């Protein structure tokens, strides 16, 4: 309970500092709107449906792109971890591609696909795929060979060994890889939405972009807050249950209680 | 001390190691791990392989398990050539090979789930029975990391016994445990072996442990790995590791072991 109180007090404190900074009058309200006017914008956008529509458009792109990235990255990572040939070829490519910030894919995506949904998805997939691939590869390589040996003597082989031994054994690495992939997907999608203007859907990135065009600082800050909240919520809803399971089973992270 | 007439197995041999040789090739040279090793192990016999490190005893166990292929020779289990690992020959490893993603019960059930002929009810019953056998029935739903080293090896023992293998292969299962826990496990293993009568092959570098557990102690020497001498231990069970009779057996094995180490150094 006291943790909830600490958290609440901390964020109320941040709001108070923000309000005080606005009230000091040192900065123009155009550049630094107060919490109240940002709240007013968010309320308006929420009630007229702009916000929910943008959230749905953004989340749909994110989930599709992230899903494709996972579906490609997990098996390819397994492949590079088991075969020297694929490690030397695909593995090296993945390492190189991972160092490329996903924003750098946008010019290429625009020229190839134009101002379309495909361009958007392409950037998200490129942002997700390589980090998921590398995390999976690392995970499958890091498991102690004794697990596979023990499983083999008990009669486990082939697909059974993959699904019941190798994948569960590398779960800690897979989860952190999926989490990292999620973070990359989220960043690349925001970059794509700010740069790629398309008519098929108006996402959060677009709202941010037009906030700047219209010098509507309350919109810019409001949308940034929404993006932060979505990121936090995804972490809590998608990954926290898995991480708690891992900590309980593997006995890791005991310092956090 | 060596009684060759008694070393001939009378019961039908369950395991036959027939002229097995093995070389390991590394980038720099080739290590001759096993040289023409032959053994007959009777049904229900408890055999201990003893020797200094590098004598190939763990390699031999891996070959019997089917995890490693011999370069020459063959292993027969119940007159069938061993071509790969199989659940009739389960291995208990030195370090805990328990799966951390499963509970204690889940670990014991792992091998049982690979036996199609069992119903779900049977599997649960067998798993619980085996946890009871090793005295851990209260820990069925515990996570592996919550157990002590000795408890982990007890679970590993239950996991190896539950699918009812014909042969149990143990690769230094007590090496990482403290002396007191080890002594408790010696008692447990003897008690379980008395009731379940598995053929057991145990690899160890601890001569006393071998004399305490084995019907027969097989002494191996390194470079290349060979069977040098066999000792039959005819002591009543359950045996106490600290008894004087056991110590005299152990002394005989140890002095033979030292003899090979000295002569090995002169070669």
């Amino acid at each position: 309970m006291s943790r909830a109180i600490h958290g609440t007090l901390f964020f109320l404190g941040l709001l108070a500092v923000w309000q005080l900074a606005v009230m000091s009058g040192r900065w123009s309200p155009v550049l630094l709107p107060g919490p109240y006017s940002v709240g007013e914008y968010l309320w308006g956008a929420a009630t007229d449906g702009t916000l929910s529509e943008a959230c749905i458009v953004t989340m749909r792109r994110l989930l599709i792109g992230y899903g494709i990235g996972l579906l490609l990255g997990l098996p390819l990572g397994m492949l590079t971890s088991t075969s020297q040939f694929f490690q030397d070829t695909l593995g090296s490519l993945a390492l190189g591609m991972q160092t490329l910030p996903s924003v750098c894919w946008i010019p290429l995506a625009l020229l190839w696909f134009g101002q379309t949904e495909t361009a958007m998805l392409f950037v998200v997939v490129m942002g997700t795929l390589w980090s998921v691939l590398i995390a999976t590869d690392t995970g499958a390589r890091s498991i102690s060979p004794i697990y596979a040996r023990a499983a083999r003597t008990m009669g486990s082989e082939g697909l059974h060994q993959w699904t019941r031994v190798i994948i569960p054994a590398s779960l800690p690495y897979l989860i952190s890889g999926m989490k990292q992939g999620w973070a990359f997907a989220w960043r690349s999608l925001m970059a794509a939405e700010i740069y790629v203007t398309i008519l098929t859907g108006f996402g959060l990135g677009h709202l941010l972009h037009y906030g700047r065009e219209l010098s509507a600082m309350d919109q810019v800050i409001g949308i940034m807050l929404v993006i932060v909240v979505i990121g936090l919520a995804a972490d809590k809803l998608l990954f926290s249950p898995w991480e708690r399971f891992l900590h309980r089973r593997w006995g890791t992270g005991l310092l956090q209680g | 001390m060596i009684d060759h007439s008694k070393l001939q197995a009378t019961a039908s041999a369950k395991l036959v190691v027939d002229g097995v040789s093995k070389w390991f090739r590394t980038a720099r040279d080739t290590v001759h791990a096993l040289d023409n090793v032959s053994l007959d192990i009777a049904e229900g016999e408890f055999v201990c392989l003893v020797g200094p490190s590098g004598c190939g005893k763990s390699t031999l166990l891996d070959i019997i398990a089917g995890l490693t292929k011999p370069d020459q020779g063959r292993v027969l289990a119940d007159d069938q050539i061993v071509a790969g690992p199989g659940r009739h020959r389960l291995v208990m490893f030195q370090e805990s090979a328990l799966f951390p993603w499963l509970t204690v019960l889940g670990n014991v059930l792992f091998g049982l789930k690979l036996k199609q002929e069992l119903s779900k009810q049977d599997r649960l019953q067998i798993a619980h029975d085996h946890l009871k056998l090793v005295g851990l029935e209260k820990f069925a739903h515990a996570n592996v990391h919550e157990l002590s080293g000795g408890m982990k090896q007890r679970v590993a023992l239950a996991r190896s016994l539950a699918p009812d293998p014909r042969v149990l292969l143990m690769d230094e299962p007590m090496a990482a445990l403290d002396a007191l826990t080890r002594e408790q496990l010696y008692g447990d293993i003897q008690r379980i072996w008395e009731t379940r009568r598995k053929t057991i092959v145990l690899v160890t570098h601890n001569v006393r442990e071998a004399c305490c557990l084995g019907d027969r102690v097989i002494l191996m020497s390194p470079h290349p790995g060979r069977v040098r001498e066999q000792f039959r231990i005819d002591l009543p069970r359950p045996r106490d590791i600290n008894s004087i009779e056991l110590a005299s057996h152990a002394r005989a094995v140890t002095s033979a072991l030292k003899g090979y180490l000295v002569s090995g150094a002169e070669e």
Side-chain angles (χ1 to χ4, degrees):
Chain A
M1 199 56 218
S2 71
R3 283 176 59 199
I5 295 173
H6 290 161
T8 313
L9 284 179
F10 175 72
F11 286 106
L12 283 178
L14 278 185
L15 273 181
V17 170
W18 180 8
Q19 182 60 42
L20 283 175
V22 172
M23 279 167 28
S24 73
R26 281 182 60 118
W27 296 279
S28 145
V30 176
L31 290 181
L32 186 67
Y36 182 75
S37 54
V38 170
E40 207 170 33
Y41 162 76
L42 284 176
W43 178 252
T47 45
D48 72 7
T50 324
L51 197 59
S52 61
E53 198 185 317
C55 282
I56 289 168
V57 166
T58 297
M59 290 315 282
R60 196 180 61 225
R61 285 173 185 152
L62 184 66
L63 290 175
I64 295 175
Y66 180 61
I68 296 174
L70 278 188
L71 282 179
L72 290 175
L74 289 173
L76 287 180
M78 293 285 176
L79 196 64
T80 57
S81 72
T82 46
S83 143
Q84 192 61 51
F85 173 76
F86 284 107
Q87 169 64 15
D88 294 340
T89 51
L90 193 61
S92 309
L93 178 74
L95 266 181
M97 288 299 158
Q98 200 207 13
T99 62
L100 190 67
S102 46
V103 142
C104 301
W105 285 103
I106 292 174
L108 183 141
L110 280 176
L111 290 174
W112 276 5
F113 304 108
Q115 307 269 0
T116 61
E117 281 292 325
T118 318
M120 202 81 90
L121 279 181
F122 180 78
V123 174
V124 178
V125 171
M126 283 300 142
T128 318
L129 171 62
W130 309 112
S131 66
V132 171
L133 194 161
I134 288 170
T136 311
D137 177 88
T138 317
R141 273 170 202 282
S142 312
I143 47 179
S144 165
I146 202 161
Y147 295 141
R149 281 158 59 87
R152 279 172 67 205
T153 69
M154 287 189 272
S156 167
E157 54 191 4
L159 189 65
H160 184 275
Q161 198 176 325
W162 271 103
T163 55
R164 301 296 160 84
V165 181
I166 296 176
I167 291 177
S170 45
L171 210 54
Y173 299 92
L174 292 184
I175 299 293
S176 70
M178 286 167 71
K179 196 171 167 180
Q180 198 188 338
W182 174 266
F184 275 104
W186 189 222
R187 280 158 178 70
S188 27
L189 179 60
M190 284 304 111
E193 284 194 339
I194 287 172
Y195 283 103
V196 183
T197 315
I198 58 174
L199 303 173
T200 45
F202 217 66
L204 287 170
H206 297 120
L207 286 182
L208 196 57
H209 180 64
Y210 287 108
R212 181 190 72 96
E213 301 260 293
L214 303 169
S215 296
M217 205 56 185
D218 51 352
Q219 180 171 343
V220 169
I221 293 177
I223 296 299
M224 282 171 73
L225 283 177
V226 171
I227 292 172
V228 168
V229 168
I230 290 180
L232 270 179
D235 198 84
K236 290 278 173 234
L237 294 176
L238 290 177
F239 298 108
S240 283
W242 281 99
E243 284 173 328
R244 271 200 302 276
F245 168 77
L246 289 182
H247 288 331
R248 201 172 60 238
R249 268 296 150 80
W250 265 257
T252 49
L254 291 175
L255 279 178
Q256 278 110 51
Chain B
M1 188 52 61
I2 315 152
D3 188 345
H4 284 284
S5 66
K6 277 192 178 174
L7 290 178
Q8 296 302 317
T10 46
S12 67
K14 194 126 186 192
L15 283 174
V16 177
V17 178
D18 183 16
V20 163
S21 294
K22 179 79 190 174
W23 288 267
F24 287 111
R25 286 161 197 88
T26 59
R28 294 182 62 196
D29 59 348
T30 302
V31 179
H32 196 174
L34 288 172
D35 180 42
N36 195 22
V37 171
S38 292
L39 284 176
D40 273 3
I41 296 168
E43 190 167 343
E45 193 180 4
F46 198 139
V47 169
C48 297
L49 302 177
V50 189
S53 32
C55 72
K57 53 193 192 297
S58 290
T59 307
L60 182 58
L61 199 79
D62 273 7
I63 290 174
I64 297 174
L67 288 167
T68 305
K69 284 201 176 13
D71 292 322
Q72 276 173 17
R74 57 185 187 159
V75 174
L76 299 171
D78 285 324
D79 303 323
Q80 304 263 311
I81 291 185
V82 170
R87 61 161 198 249
H88 293 307
R89 284 163 284 111
L90 286 190
V91 187
M92 198 179 145
F93 295 94
Q94 172 176 3
E95 50 189 296
S96 170
L98 296 179
F99 301 145
W101 58 94
L102 297 172
T103 60
V104 165
L105 184 64
N107 268 282
V108 179
L109 280 169
F110 187 91
L112 293 169
K113 284 185 177 160
L114 285 154
K115 295 185 91 171
Q116 311 285 330
E117 64 273 23
L118 295 175
S119 73
K120 200 177 172 203
Q121 217 63 45
D122 291 342
R123 289 186 186 127
L124 271 175
Q125 186 62 47
I126 295 172
H128 280 295
D129 286 351
H130 280 82
L131 281 176
K132 201 173 219 164
L133 190 68
V134 296
L136 289 176
E137 66 268 40
K138 289 202 181 91
F139 294 87
H141 299 287
N143 296 310
V144 170
H145 71 89
E146 293 160 345
L147 306 179
S148 69
M151 288 157 89
K152 279 181 192 160
Q153 286 305 62
R154 280 208 175 91
V155 176
L157 186 62
R159 183 173 75 169
S160 313
L161 284 172
D164 200 24
R166 306 171 89 91
V167 178
L168 185 56
L169 305 169
M170 303 168 113
D171 190 2
E172 306 205 30
M174 264 82 75
L177 303 178
D178 62 272
L180 201 66
T181 312
R182 245 190 336 244
E183 280 187 32
Q184 284 174 350
L185 263 175
Y186 294 151
D188 284 353
I189 289 174
Q190 291 190 73
R191 178 174 53 83
I192 290 166
W193 180 73
E194 289 286 336
T195 50
R196 302 293 304 274
R197 279 288 156 182
K198 302 285 176 202
T199 305
I200 299 184
V201 182
L202 180 133
V203 162
T204 179
H205 57 250
N206 183 334
V207 172
R208 263 181 180 248
E209 177 176 306
C211 293
C212 176
L213 295 174
D215 292 324
R216 191 157 42 126
V217 174
I218 294 171
L219 182 58
M220 295 180 72
S221 68
H223 316 299
R226 286 193 179 119
V227 171
R228 297 308 285 257
E229 214 168 318
Q230 308 197 15
F231 300 82
R232 184 155 286 279
I233 313 291
D234 282 322
L235 293 174
R237 291 179 189 269
R239 297 171 186 162
D240 175 8
I241 188 118
N242 297 314
S243 81
I244 295 164
E245 294 90 340
L246 203 145
S248 76
H249 277 88
R251 199 155 45 235
V253 178
T254 307
S255 63
L257 179 66
K258 279 181 183 157
Y260 293 124
L261 285 179
V262 172
S263 67
E266 284 165 359
E267 273 170 21

